[in-house]
Amino acid sequence: SRRPCHPRRHAQGPADALLLISLHLFHTRIFTVTPSFVETSMYELAQLFLMPTLALIALLFLYAFWTLGEFAVLAWHRRSGGGRPLLTTFRAARQMSDDELDVRAHTMLESARIASRVTPMLGLVATMIPMGPALKSLSDGNLAQVSQNLTIAFSAVILALIAASITFWVTNVRRRWLAEEMLQIAQLRLENGQ
């Protein structure tokens, strides 16, 4: 007897059984994923992220001004010879290596650096999410709803960009200050023969 060209595959494990069931369901059209189902699901899922994104932007906006205030206080102390946290750390623990001081410097900048990179991305997300309802309202002829959605979109991105600009500027100036402190620490080590 001749063997068939395409022998019927029998399930040999749970993964194979699941594959065969999935193929059977799609073949018999019991469960059909249509493009409109996928699009609607993605649209609804995206809408769930609007409020958390707006809340994060508001928190990062407040954090940016807190960082700016902290920066202003540090700048004021630097004028009178203080405001050098890395140098203070070194004076308290002179056995710290350059690598440990470098890690400490990165830790001091980490929050503001992350905020300066994440905030614009959240602003983009908060801009794009309301665009879907705005375009839908435009096709329905509801201009008031279009205006409301665009107001949310543009307000969110403006606040996000302001917050990111502040934290970016503060991070870069503080990075320079910390580099200057590392040079002062190297000079102190040379003077002390370490």
Side-chain angles (χ1 to χ4, degrees):
S1 76
R2 260 179 53 177
R3 295 177 64 182
C5 293
H6 301 288
R8 188 175 196 105
R9 184 174 176 191
H10 296 287
Q12 296 178 357
D16 291 339
L18 184 61
L19 178 64
L20 288 174
I21 291 169
S22 300
L23 290 172
H24 176 69
L25 289 175
F26 282 110
H27 179 69
T28 58
R29 298 184 192 277
I30 292 173
F31 179 72
T32 306
V33 178
T34 61
S36 63
F37 171 76
V38 173
E39 291 165 3
T40 304
S41 299
M42 289 181 74
Y43 172 80
E44 294 297 329
L45 184 63
Q47 295 307 307
L48 294 175
F49 286 97
L50 181 60
M51 283 303 152
T53 303
L54 292 175
L56 282 171
I57 289 171
L59 287 173
L60 287 166
F61 186 74
L62 294 174
Y63 172 76
F65 280 95
W66 179 79
T67 301
L68 186 61
E70 183 183 46
F71 173 79
V73 169
L74 199 60
W76 181 261
H77 287 298
R78 285 179 72 84
R79 292 181 68 184
S80 61
R84 289 170 172 77
L86 203 58
L87 195 56
T88 304
T89 302
F90 173 71
R91 285 182 175 145
R94 290 187 178 266
Q95 74 279 7
M96 289 183 77
S97 68
D98 286 342
D99 290 337
E100 290 172 320
L101 289 167
D102 193 44
V103 168
R104 181 68 60 97
H106 278 85
T107 304
M108 290 176 188
L109 295 175
E110 192 169 34
S111 299
R113 190 176 60 83
I114 290 171
S116 70
R117 286 172 168 78
V118 169
T119 310
M121 290 185 273
L122 290 173
L124 179 61
V125 170
T127 301
M128 298 309 293
I129 292 173
M131 288 295 182
L135 293 173
K136 188 174 182 302
S137 299
L138 183 62
S139 69
D140 295 340
N142 187 351
L143 295 180
Q145 192 67 31
V146 172
S147 175
Q148 181 183 357
N149 284 312
L150 290 180
T151 301
I152 293 169
F154 293 130
S155 299
V157 77
I158 288 167
L159 292 179
L161 290 174
I162 289 170
S165 299
I166 290 169
T167 52
F168 180 77
W169 179 71
V170 167
T171 300
N172 281 309
V173 175
R174 289 200 64 197
R175 183 181 294 135
R176 179 178 51 83
W177 287 353
L178 290 170
E180 289 171 359
E181 289 180 51
M182 288 294 285
L183 290 175
Q184 290 174 342
I185 289 168
Q187 186 64 36
L188 283 173
R189 281 188 168 146
L190 282 174
E191 289 171 2
N192 295 333
Q194 288 183 339

